[in-house]
């Protein structure tokens, strides 16, 4: 029977509560983090000063800086241009896929996985069209390559930064930036053939793409007000549906919904095929949404990702037209029923918005809220200067850190350089950072420290077999079915109790980034889920292949490590 102290019981209870809340997905992850932090302070496990110190820890500051640099590089259009040139120069499909997956994997060591995948999705669209292949063949390998590659740098993934910070708490020094370089690159190089195999075995669920526009969301829910001069007035709902190929879901106000014919002053909630939007918007006396018509505005489809700040908000919560001069004229909710105003629909990951406005304004809105263009290269503009500056400050910060400059100082200076160079506006700086991720990460760093300082991690380590394979598998299961940050926070303190902690944390680092088994294991997986027409079993089958590869390579490498602390 294992005997626990009050401190260990209390810390274990907080850990169990956090896992339960994360599994239910009823509470935002940053709120869960705040609850954890408060409970640790109330229970006397951590002082308020120590708890808050993790909010400004090196790991949190560096991750915030990477978000800023990554977003700047994404907005520059540099990688969009690279993908376009690559597709034009390389004719062999297998060589093109190999190069693309390798480039994505390498760049992900310095950039957000989700941003990378969103940039290369239009390229995969074009490749699918040109090669007369199914889109479902391409998108899971794309997502997996981004997840596979980030592990080889300390700041390439949030889990590596967590491991680095918890290592510092125990040994009072940080790991080198390229601590996992050899094993990370080995996994990338050996993983590319497996990704090509996945490309070959992926099911053919999508129709052959004949144009980029075929890959748009099929139908949108739009809202339109009927004016006195609209030629729909007096017509029956069924006649309009037949004539225009649309479906009228409801009529507002509700008292008018009982009428069989359209009357002036009513607001129609309609399901409209994407290619019918221009026709519907051109009908005289019919005003889309509630604002004036925008002349000459381009219609752009934008996907709401899991990292978008629009998630759990409604269009009514924002003043989009006032701030950006654009309009949300339609919404696709992935099958959720909408009968009221589209401005009152709570947005979820995987939803799509139909935006109308000039290209620059749409690009600004999408950049601010982390949306992904669904048509061609979307609304992103190519900015050579911004791209060069972003790459320069990233390389500079990395080299400075390697030369011994404090990593926090190096990456904060890089972010400041972006502002001083004019590459980004300082007012938008805060919009580039996903603050909920930073709060969650800092809070769970505090939980990891509490596990270690209370001795709970040592107790758990004594219960578990001292096996690197079991350590890997438990970490991977936690990462795939709860989340990777939680996996790293729970398992790193346990790994630090092993006879050779560096080998053990290397196993945790590789396992916590092996998030391939479900669409919800990683935001990049979720991003390609609907466009690829995938099913959960596709991720389970393909993800198991990659997981086994990472496990084998990790065991081979860690078995040969002989590093003295």
């Amino acid at each position: 029977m294992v005997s626990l102290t009050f401190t260990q019981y209390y810390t274990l209870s907080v850990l169990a509560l956090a896992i339960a809340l994360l599994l239910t997905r009823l509470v935002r992850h940053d709120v869960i983090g705040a609850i954890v932090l408060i409970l640790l302070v109330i229970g006397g496990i951590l002082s308020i000063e120590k708890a808050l110190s993790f909010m400004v820890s090196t790991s949190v500051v560096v991750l915030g800086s990477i978000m800023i640099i990554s977003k700047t590089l994404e907005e520059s259009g540099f990688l969009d241009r690279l993908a376009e040139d690559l597709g034009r120069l390389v004719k062999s499909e297998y060589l093109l896929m190999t190069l693309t997956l390798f480039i994505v994997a390498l760049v992900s060591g310095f950039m957000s996985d989700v941003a990378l995948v969103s940039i290369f999705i239009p390229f995969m669209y074009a490749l699918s069209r040109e090669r007369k292949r199914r889109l479902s063949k391409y998108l899971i390998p794309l997502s997996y390559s981004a997840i596979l590659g980030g592990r080889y740098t300390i700041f390439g993934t949030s889990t590596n930064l967590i491991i680095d910070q918890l290592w510092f708490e125990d040994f009072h020094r940080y790991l080198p930036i390229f601590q996992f370089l050899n094993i990370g690159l080995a996994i990338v190089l050996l993983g590319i053939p497996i990704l090509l195999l996945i490309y070959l075995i992926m099911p053919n669920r999508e129709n052959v793409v004949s144009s980029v526009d075929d890959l748009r969301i099929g139908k949108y829910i739009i809202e339109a007000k009927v004016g006195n001069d609209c030629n729909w007035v007096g017509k029956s709902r069924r006649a309009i549906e037949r004539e225009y190929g649309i479906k009228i879901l409801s009529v507002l106000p509700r008292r008018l919904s009982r009428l069989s014919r359209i009357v002036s002053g009513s607001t129609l909630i309609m399901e409209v095929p994407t290619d019918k939007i221009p026709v519907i918007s051109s009908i005289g006396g019919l005003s889309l949404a509630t604002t004036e018509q925008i002349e000459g505005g381009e219609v752009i489809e934008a996907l709401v990702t899991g990292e978008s700040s629009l998630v759990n908000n409604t269009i009514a919560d924002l003043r989009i037209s006032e701030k950006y001069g654009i309009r949300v004229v339609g919404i696709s909710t992935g099958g959720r029923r909408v009968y009221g105003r589209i401005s009152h629909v709570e947005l979820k990951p995987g939803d799509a918005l139909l935006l109308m406005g000039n290209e620059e304004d749409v690009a600004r809105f999408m950049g601010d809220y982390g949306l992904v263009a669904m048509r061609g290269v979307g609304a992103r503009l190519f900015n050579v200067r911004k791209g060069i500056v972003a790459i320069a400050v990233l390389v500079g910060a990395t080299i400075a850190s390697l030369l011994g400059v404090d990593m926090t100082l190096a990456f904060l200076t890089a972010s400041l350089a972006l502002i001083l160079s004019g590459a980004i506006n300082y007012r938008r700086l805060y919009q580039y950072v996903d603050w909920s991720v930073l709060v969650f990460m800092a809070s769970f760093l505090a939980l990891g420290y509490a596990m270690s300082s209370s001795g709970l991690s040592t107790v758990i380590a004594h219960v578990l077999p001292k096996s690197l394979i079991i350590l890997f598998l438990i970490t991977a299961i936690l990462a795939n079915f709860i989340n990777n940050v939680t996996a790293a926070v729970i398992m790193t303190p346990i790994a630090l109790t092993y006879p050779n902690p560096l080998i053990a944390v290397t196993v945790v680092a590789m396992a916590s980034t092996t998030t391939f088994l479900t669409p919800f294991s990683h935001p990049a997986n979720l991003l390609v889920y609907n466009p690829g027409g995938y099913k959960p079993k596709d991720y389970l089958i393909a993800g198991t292949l990659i997981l086994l590869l990472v496990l084998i390579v990790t065991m081979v490498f860690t078995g040969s490590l002989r590093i003295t602390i």
Side-chain angles (χ1 to χ4, degrees):
M1 182 77 178
V2 178
S3 178
L4 298 178
T5 65
F6 168 78
T7 300
Q8 291 168 346
Y9 269 121
Y10 189 89
T11 304
L12 182 60
S13 299
V14 173
L15 174 62
L17 175 64
I19 292 175
L21 290 174
L22 287 168
L23 283 172
T24 61
R25 302 181 188 274
L26 295 176
V27 184
R28 282 169 49 115
H29 57 274
D30 53 330
V31 175
I32 296 172
I35 292 171
V36 165
L37 203 62
I38 291 169
L39 289 177
L40 290 174
V41 173
I42 290 176
I45 309 301
L46 298 178
S47 67
I48 185 69
E49 292 81 9
K50 184 63 179 178
L52 293 178
S53 69
F54 290 101
M55 293 290 181
V56 290
S57 62
T58 294
S59 298
V60 172
V61 172
V62 170
L63 181 59
S65 301
I66 288 292
M67 288 176 179
I68 295 169
I69 299 170
S70 173
K71 190 67 178 176
T72 306
L73 182 58
E74 177 190 355
E75 288 186 350
S76 72
F78 233 66
L79 293 176
D80 303 74
R81 184 63 176 269
L82 173 63
E84 183 183 336
D85 291 343
L86 196 64
R88 187 175 63 253
L89 296 174
V90 180
K91 302 305 179 184
S92 167
E93 181 176 359
Y94 291 107
L95 178 59
L96 182 58
M97 279 294 293
T98 301
L99 288 175
T100 301
L101 297 176
F102 184 66
I103 289 171
V104 170
L106 285 185
V107 176
S108 69
F110 299 89
M111 187 175 176
S112 160
D113 297 340
V114 175
L116 260 179
V117 172
S118 68
I119 287 171
F120 276 84
I121 281 177
F123 172 70
M124 291 303 186
Y125 287 172
L127 182 61
S128 174
R129 175 197 63 209
E130 181 181 338
R131 310 292 174 169
K132 306 298 182 185
R133 297 280 188 175
R134 314 283 179 161
L135 182 62
S136 57
K137 292 282 190 181
Y138 296 91
L139 295 188
I140 277 185
L142 172 64
S143 171
Y144 282 8
S145 65
I147 301 171
L148 203 63
R151 67 193 69 214
Y152 74 89
T153 66
I154 285 294
F155 50 74
T157 67
S158 57
T159 52
N160 282 0
L161 287 169
I162 286 170
I163 291 168
D164 192 31
Q165 188 66 43
L166 294 176
W167 180 274
F168 175 81
E169 298 297 334
D170 260 34
F171 298 104
H172 307 292
R173 62 183 175 85
Y174 290 102
L175 295 168
I177 287 180
F178 293 110
Q179 174 65 47
F180 306 126
L181 178 65
N182 292 340
I183 186 172
L185 289 184
I187 288 173
V188 168
L189 292 174
L190 294 173
I192 296 298
I194 303 298
L195 293 177
L196 292 175
L197 173 62
I198 291 172
Y199 155 72
L200 292 174
I201 67 174
M202 275 292 98
N204 295 320
R205 291 206 180 92
E206 281 287 317
N207 294 327
V208 177
V209 178
S210 59
S211 71
V212 173
D213 285 350
D214 290 342
L215 292 157
R216 297 177 295 173
I217 301 295
K219 296 178 180 179
Y220 278 90
I221 309 299
I222 70 170
E223 177 183 331
K225 187 170 184 179
V226 181
N228 294 328
D229 56 342
C230 180
N231 61 13
W232 284 13
V233 174
K235 290 185 178 181
S236 69
R237 292 169 59 170
R238 182 166 296 183
I240 291 174
E241 289 177 341
R242 284 199 306 265
E243 182 179 352
Y244 292 93
I246 64 175
K247 184 177 181 180
I248 299 176
L249 301 177
S250 62
V251 179
L252 302 177
R254 298 293 183 187
R255 59 183 172 80
L256 299 178
S257 62
R258 295 187 296 272
L259 302 177
S260 61
R261 296 186 179 276
I262 304 299
V263 299
S264 174
S266 60
T267 296
L268 308 179
I269 308 300
M270 302 176 289
E271 186 179 69
V272 181
T274 305
D275 58 358
K276 300 288 186 181
I277 296 289
V279 177
I280 300 300
S281 64
S282 66
I283 294 174
L286 192 69
S287 303
L288 296 186
T290 57
T291 56
E292 72 282 353
Q293 196 79 359
I294 295 178
E295 297 297 335
E298 184 178 356
V299 176
I300 299 292
E301 294 175 275
L303 183 70
V304 179
T305 70
E307 295 186 344
S308 172
S309 55
L310 290 182
V311 172
N312 296 325
N313 287 301
T314 68
I315 297 169
D317 294 331
L318 313 167
R319 295 177 296 173
I320 297 174
S321 179
E322 179 182 333
K323 290 181 179 178
Y324 298 94
I326 67 174
R327 296 165 52 208
V328 178
V329 296
I331 181 172
S332 173
T333 58
R336 299 200 315 279
R337 292 188 176 185
V338 177
Y339 292 112
R341 296 188 180 278
I342 63 173
S343 59
H344 296 158
V345 175
E346 190 174 89
L347 298 173
K348 301 295 182 184
D351 289 350
L353 302 179
L354 199 64
L355 307 174
M356 181 178 287
N358 68 62
E359 187 180 46
E360 186 173 2
D361 291 335
V362 172
R364 189 161 55 91
F365 169 69
M366 292 175 62
D368 287 353
Y369 288 98
L371 304 181
V372 177
M374 295 295 291
R375 293 181 60 189
V377 297
R380 194 177 288 116
L381 303 176
F382 184 53
N383 188 321
V384 177
R385 182 174 172 275
K386 179 181 283 191
I388 292 174
V389 172
I391 294 172
V393 299
L394 178 60
V395 172
T398 303
I399 293 175
S401 300
L402 290 173
L403 294 176
V405 177
D406 181 84
M407 192 157 60
T408 306
L409 177 62
F411 280 87
L412 275 178
T413 303
S415 299
L416 179 62
L418 286 176
I419 300 174
L420 296 178
S421 67
I424 58 174
N425 188 312
Y426 75 91
R427 292 186 179 88
R428 298 185 64 196
L429 185 69
Y430 298 99
Q431 298 171 350
Y432 288 179
V433 178
D434 190 337
W435 297 101
S436 64
V437 170
L438 298 188
V439 170
F440 178 66
M441 180 175 172
S443 303
F444 270 63
L445 276 172
L447 177 58
Y449 176 79
M451 288 178 61
S452 181
S453 61
S454 68
L456 178 61
S457 56
T458 302
V459 173
I460 297 175
H462 284 316
V463 174
L464 296 175
K466 281 289 193 294
S467 165
L468 293 179
I469 294 179
I470 291 177
L471 180 67
F472 181 98
L473 292 176
I474 293 175
T475 305
I477 290 170
L478 290 172
N480 278 279
F481 296 101
I482 300 180
N483 67 48
N484 55 355
V485 169
T486 304
V489 165
I490 294 174
M491 301 308 293
T492 301
I494 296 172
L496 290 172
T497 67
Y498 274 53
N500 192 325
L502 187 56
I503 289 179
V505 298
T506 300
V507 170
V508 172
M510 297 303 106
S512 60
T513 49
T514 309
T515 47
F516 304 109
L517 297 181
T518 78
F520 308 100
S521 299
H522 193 283
N525 289 343
L526 188 61
L527 187 61
V528 302
Y529 183 59
N530 286 329
Y534 296 118
K535 297 181 179 179
K537 70 176 183 180
D538 298 326
Y539 289 88
L540 185 60
I541 294 171
T544 300
L545 293 175
I546 293 291
L547 187 147
L548 289 175
L549 169 75
V550 177
L551 172 61
I552 292 170
V553 174
T554 301
M555 292 303 107
V556 169
F557 263 79
T558 54
S560 64
L561 284 175
R562 294 291 183 270
I563 302 175
T564 302
I565 303 299

